[in-house]
Amino acid sequence: MPPPSDIVKVAIEWPGANAQLIEMDQKRPLSSIIREVCDGWSLSGSEQFALRYADGPQLYITEQSRGDIKNGTILRLAISPARAARQLLERIQSHGIDARLEALKELAKLSADPTFAAEFINMEGIGTLARLVESGTHFGEMLAFTLTAFLELMDHGIVSWDLISLSFIKQIAGYVNQPMVDVSILQRSLAILESMVLNSHSLYHRVAQEITVGQLIGHLQVSNQEIQTYAIALINALFLKAPEDRRQEMASSLAQKHLRSIILNHVIRGNRPIKAEMAHQLYVLQVLTFNLLEERMMTKMDPNDQAQRDIIFELRRIAFDGENDPTGTEKRKAMYTKDYKMLGFTNHVNPAMDFTQTPPGMLALDNMLYLAKVHQDTYIRIVLENSSREDKHECPFGRCAIELTRMLCEILQVGELLCLPHGCNDYHPMFFTHDRAWEEFFCVCIQLLNKTWKEMRATAEDFNKVMQVVREQITRALAMKPSSIDQLKTKLRGLNYSEILRLRQSERMSQDDFQSPPIIELRERIQPEILELIKQQRLNRLCEGSCFRKLGNRRRQEKFWFCRLSLNHKVLHYGDLDESPQGEVPFELLSDKIPVSDIKSVVTGKDCPHMKEKSALKQNKEVLELAFSVLYDPDETLNFVAPNKYEYCIWTDGLCALLGREMGSDLTRSDLDTLISMEMKLRLLDLENITIPEAPPPVPKEPSSYNFTYNYS
């Protein structure tokens, strides 16, 4: 008979004594259990003790968190959080340097525990640490551990960052501005300043007065990618929190300081691979830079503004400079109307009206003027080439430029909110290779549009079709992550209209659900063997194992754990890791295991226990879509958050296959359709020799005969 679900078998350690093996009744008060454990070792004052995990982060166990304890867990009897906080506070304030250093080391470790942090903060511990920093008497290891503990305590969100004093900010900024400072101190100082800026509007102004862009850019030229990441994170924070009127000014300052070229040469083209957190910060910087275009994108042209109308006159002048300007108002107006039609504006009489819709607003006119001035030969060639075509085949430059600008804003999400979860790292290296990357990108794409228009032999009625093809060409090229504008041109040359048609046909053939009777019958017959092949592939991947990030850990102190299936498919092995592994993790290093026979079910998304408990995560759609849990006897759970959609599908499908249940992920359906289509094509190449595997039906029936032809073109 299985034990009751509220009884957990654990081992409890105490230094210098044999461990106690007890059955913890989760219905009993925790204080009662601690009293019983203390009596077992003849320890008095049980109220001064608490239970902690012996492994991993060694967090304190509370009435709220005790439900996470699993069978076989090793716990440790320790002094209570309040007593530990009081003792550490006394030792930190002692005069002995060695005793103070040891206390700060222990504090830096314990501060990650929310239970301890609350007790330490209640004893005015943060003020004590702040005064130690402000005194300027701590250096080296002692200062590093002080800053670590301070940051850990503040990250719990128990107290407001607004309480930080100006002298503390000056001291932290001083560490960042020093030419030579310990790496660990610099990392923590940058992290503290970033948190100040992100969490307090008033502190943003104070930090901005102490830290200059030039000082932060200097930290991007070091070889330590951790320092580079923290420096870019702080630049992003200052950029993000800057008032609207300060962002353009800050962007100009960043351009003068050559931030882009420094990032390109020392980070993107450095001799080290870009880590996930650095990629995320580069993505954030890219989005913030493009969002500077939002104001122009949402600004309508004023038809009565002479300065704005002069830009349109300049476009006409550059394109048709060689033609004489006739005297007489009527002749000049008629000639202008003709020129504006040749330029491809929708409103030939008053082209300013073409720029009154937002988006793209004035941003489209800015792009056109940049093309006309910087790439004048290209501009004139496009305009004159189209003006010499038949009316029905001319590519309207003005209309195309406006619609293309709108499309590029949509593709690059100009003005949209940041995707703040750290999984977002979709930055494009090529946008860091040019000071006017947006404008250059437009110039490449407008030439592509003109070329595609000719390849499609399009007319005015085909305008939307051409724009759809151009969007596909651009998005496919961006997905290849070109490293420069020139490489983007190369990618686009390989994605001409004929290639897009070929890719569409290929994808359609691989995805189509053929409806002819023999194809349907063949599909039904081969589906089981293909599905079995997918199941075996999933189980093989589970045997190799995967690394998962610990949920709730901040990016600065990321923790991992690894899980893999035994080769006989009978046990799940898992355990904590200090860092992400480079290959397979041996079974010997995975201390915990779950028999597959104990697994009751697999749940996903909002049904997962760790998604119900983490209220903040309920709003995080990305994390919710990657979450799944294994429920096993008696009432235990193993909670996962997959690193990506592919790993999520592999594990959920594999676990379902392990339990003998139907797999249901989108990836499985995609794999199945692809493999079945491939198998069908191979068999259809020789129609006369199709052999359908025998599968005895419940009722014998006559073999079907079909007459059909198959086009291989």
Side-chain angles (χ1 to χ4, degrees):
M1 181 176 178
S5 59
D6 50 11
I7 299 296
V8 183
K9 295 180 179 181
V10 298
I12 302 179
E13 299 177 337
W14 175 255
N18 294 327
Q20 295 186 38
L21 302 178
I22 69 168
E23 292 186 351
M24 181 183 290
D25 187 349
Q26 295 286 46
K27 292 181 179 179
R28 290 178 57 194
L30 199 56
S31 57
S32 174
I33 296 173
I34 294 173
R35 187 183 310 112
E36 185 178 295
V37 171
C38 289
D39 291 342
W41 283 312
S42 301
L43 298 173
S44 59
S46 62
E47 67 278 359
Q48 296 294 317
F49 292 92
L51 292 177
R52 292 170 59 184
Y53 288 99
D55 301 318
Q58 300 181 10
L59 300 177
Y60 278 102
I61 295 169
T62 64
E63 290 289 354
Q64 292 73 32
S65 65
R66 62 186 295 179
D68 296 332
I69 302 174
K70 300 176 176 61
N71 275 323
T73 302
I74 301 176
L75 306 179
R76 179 174 298 160
L77 186 67
I79 60 175
S80 67
R83 185 178 172 190
R86 192 181 308 108
Q87 289 182 359
L88 284 176
L89 199 55
E90 291 172 357
R91 289 163 58 192
I92 289 171
Q93 294 172 322
S94 68
H95 297 292
I97 295 179
D98 292 340
R100 188 181 300 176
L101 177 59
E102 290 302 316
L104 288 169
K105 283 184 180 179
E106 190 173 349
L107 177 63
K109 182 179 179 180
L110 281 175
S111 294
D113 188 307
T115 308
F116 170 84
E119 296 290 348
F120 190 81
I121 290 171
N122 286 338
M123 297 176 186
E124 303 296 331
I126 285 184
T128 300
L129 295 180
R131 286 190 291 274
L132 290 177
V133 174
E134 292 169 8
S135 67
T137 57
H138 284 52
F139 305 97
E141 264 193 317
M142 191 173 292
L143 178 58
F145 286 120
T146 303
L147 296 178
T148 301
F150 179 86
L151 185 58
E152 290 279 4
L153 293 166
M154 292 300 296
D155 276 350
H156 290 293
I158 299 173
V159 294
S160 171
W161 282 90
D162 289 319
L163 301 176
I164 303 303
S165 67
L166 181 59
S167 59
F168 181 87
I169 297 173
K170 288 181 176 292
Q171 195 68 38
I172 297 296
Y175 299 137
V176 174
N177 295 335
Q178 285 180 18
M180 297 294 292
V181 68
D182 185 82
V183 170
S184 58
I185 295 174
L186 180 57
Q187 285 180 353
R188 288 155 179 78
S189 297
L190 289 168
I192 289 172
L193 290 173
E194 180 197 1
S195 293
M196 287 181 184
V197 172
L198 292 177
N199 289 286
S200 172
H201 179 72
S202 61
L203 290 185
Y204 157 77
H205 296 284
R206 296 181 181 179
V207 173
Q209 291 173 355
E210 300 295 330
I211 298 293
T212 66
V213 171
Q215 289 158 340
L216 293 176
I217 287 178
H219 294 306
L220 297 177
Q221 302 178 55
V222 301
S223 59
N224 187 320
Q225 192 172 121
E226 295 285 328
I227 295 296
Q228 292 175 326
T229 303
Y230 286 124
I232 295 181
L234 181 52
I235 290 174
N236 286 337
L238 290 168
F239 211 144
L240 185 64
K241 293 299 180 178
E244 291 294 333
D245 57 342
R246 282 271 301 146
R247 288 187 185 177
Q248 290 288 351
E249 181 184 333
M250 186 175 178
S252 301
S253 176
L254 292 175
Q256 293 171 4
K257 299 291 184 179
H258 307 294
L259 173 67
R260 178 200 57 78
S261 60
I262 290 172
I263 291 177
L264 179 66
N265 296 322
H266 293 273
V267 178
I268 297 176
R269 293 179 178 172
N271 55 6
R272 299 171 306 282
I274 301 293
K275 295 181 180 178
E277 180 55 31
M278 173 61 84
H280 173 69
Q281 294 301 335
L282 291 174
Y283 160 78
V284 173
L285 182 59
Q286 173 185 292
V287 172
L288 290 171
T289 303
F290 282 144
N291 280 355
L292 293 173
L293 302 169
E294 183 180 12
E295 182 181 355
R296 294 292 285 173
M297 180 182 75
M298 300 307 295
T299 299
K300 296 181 180 181
M301 186 172 187
D302 182 0
N304 299 318
D305 189 320
Q306 187 60 43
Q308 294 180 0
R309 296 179 64 183
D310 285 345
I311 299 176
I312 298 178
F313 293 152
E314 182 69 3
L315 290 175
R316 192 208 67 82
R317 185 195 65 77
I318 295 173
F320 309 110
D321 187 41
E323 299 188 13
N324 295 324
D325 191 4
T327 57
T329 303
E330 292 300 322
K331 288 185 178 181
R332 187 163 60 249
K333 184 180 295 186
M335 189 193 75
Y336 283 2
T337 300
K338 177 185 175 183
D339 288 349
Y340 291 146
K341 181 179 179 181
M342 293 172 66
L343 279 171
F345 289 112
T346 303
N347 191 318
H348 307 154
V349 178
N350 186 6
M353 300 301 296
D354 287 14
F355 301 94
T356 55
Q357 185 175 358
T358 59
M362 290 296 290
L363 185 60
L365 189 58
D366 295 342
N367 287 340
M368 295 166 70
L369 184 62
Y370 180 88
L371 174 68
K373 287 193 170 183
V374 179
H375 301 279
Q376 191 171 114
D377 291 343
T378 300
Y379 168 70
I380 293 174
R381 175 179 58 79
I382 291 175
V383 172
L384 296 184
E385 183 180 286
N386 284 289
S387 63
S388 62
R389 293 180 187 167
E390 299 178 55
D391 284 350
K392 68 174 185 176
H393 284 293
E394 66 179 6
C395 177
F397 169 74
R399 183 184 176 191
C400 286
I402 292 170
E403 289 302 315
L404 178 63
T405 301
R406 188 201 319 277
M407 179 197 297
L408 297 183
C409 289
E410 292 173 358
I411 292 174
L412 296 177
Q413 299 178 324
V414 175
E416 294 187 17
L417 293 176
L418 272 175
C419 183
L420 291 177
H422 293 299
C424 296
N425 51 16
D426 189 25
Y427 80 98
H428 296 281
M430 71 173 183
F431 291 125
F432 292 88
T433 62
H434 201 285
D435 288 329
R436 303 294 294 273
W438 166 263
E439 291 85 351
E440 288 294 319
F441 183 46
F442 168 83
C443 293
V444 171
C445 293
I446 194 68
Q447 294 177 72
L448 169 72
L449 196 159
N450 188 60
K451 176 172 171 287
T452 301
W453 186 283
K454 290 189 291 185
E455 291 173 350
M456 294 178 67
R457 299 178 182 177
T459 63
E461 289 76 16
D462 300 319
F463 185 85
N464 291 332
K465 294 180 181 178
V466 175
M467 296 306 294
Q468 290 173 4
V469 173
V470 171
R471 175 186 283 270
E472 187 171 345
Q473 290 172 312
I474 294 170
T475 52
R476 286 182 183 273
L478 287 177
M480 300 178 194
K481 297 291 182 182
S483 59
S484 64
I485 298 292
D486 289 336
Q487 195 175 103
L488 173 69
K489 295 177 183 177
T490 303
K491 302 291 185 188
L492 290 173
R493 278 195 294 270
L495 288 170
N496 55 33
Y497 179 54
S498 299
E499 178 64 10
I500 292 296
L501 289 180
R502 188 193 69 79
L503 290 171
R504 285 179 174 179
Q505 178 69 11
S506 175
E507 292 169 359
R508 190 179 301 116
M509 288 294 293
S510 66
Q511 295 172 3
D512 275 353
D513 189 10
F514 305 116
Q515 296 302 313
S516 61
I519 298 298
I520 294 174
E521 182 176 351
L522 179 58
R523 183 183 183 87
E524 290 174 352
R525 293 292 182 88
I526 65 177
Q527 180 164 330
E529 58 184 278
I530 298 296
L531 191 58
E532 183 60 31
L533 180 65
I534 294 174
K535 286 182 179 179
Q536 291 304 318
Q537 184 267 347
R538 298 293 194 265
L539 292 173
N540 290 340
R541 277 288 291 110
L542 262 61
C543 290
E544 294 173 8
S546 298
C547 180
F548 300 89
R549 184 170 58 86
K550 283 252 182 183
L551 192 64
N553 283 331
R554 302 186 335 273
R555 58 181 171 79
R556 300 185 182 86
Q557 292 187 351
E558 206 164 47
K559 298 294 182 182
F560 304 88
W561 67 288
F562 197 89
C563 186
R564 62 182 297 192
L565 179 65
S566 63
L567 299 180
N568 61 6
H569 298 177
K570 291 186 177 181
V571 180
L572 278 178
H573 295 263
Y574 64 97
D576 293 338
L577 301 174
D578 291 329
E579 57 185 13
S580 181
Q582 299 302 313
E584 281 190 7
V585 177
F587 290 105
E588 298 78 30
L589 297 181
L590 303 176
S591 57
D592 299 304
K593 60 184 179 180
I594 300 172
V596 172
S597 59
D598 288 350
I599 297 178
K600 295 188 292 188
S601 64
V602 177
V603 296
T604 61
K606 61 183 180 181
D607 296 326
C608 296
H610 57 313
M611 293 296 102
K612 294 176 182 177
E613 295 171 2
K614 305 284 185 182
S615 58
L617 291 176
K618 290 182 180 178
Q619 309 305 322
N620 192 330
K621 183 179 178 182
E622 181 180 344
V623 174
L624 200 62
E625 290 177 346
L626 298 179
F628 61 99
S629 298
V630 172
L631 310 183
Y632 61 97
D633 287 329
D635 282 315
E636 308 296 338
T637 62
L638 186 62
N639 299 317
F640 301 73
V641 174
N644 50 54
K645 188 68 175 176
Y646 176 79
E647 288 291 328
Y648 170 85
C649 294
I650 288 289
W651 275 85
T652 53
D653 284 347
L655 290 169
C656 287
L658 200 61
L659 300 177
R661 297 167 189 173
E662 182 180 355
M663 300 184 293
S665 73
D666 293 338
L667 188 59
T668 299
R669 301 275 79 79
S670 174
D671 288 350
L672 184 62
D673 291 342
T674 301
L675 287 171
I676 289 176
S677 297
M678 290 173 61
E679 180 76 6
M680 288 167 63
K681 288 173 189 175
L682 289 173
R683 297 190 185 189
L684 290 171
L685 286 176
D686 189 3
L687 291 177
E688 294 180 356
N689 297 315
I690 289 181
T691 302
I692 299 179
E694 288 298 325
V699 179
K701 61 180 181 180
E702 292 296 324
S704 304
S705 61
Y706 303 100
N707 294 317
F708 65 95
T709 57
Y710 190 80
N711 187 354
Y712 302 105
S713 59

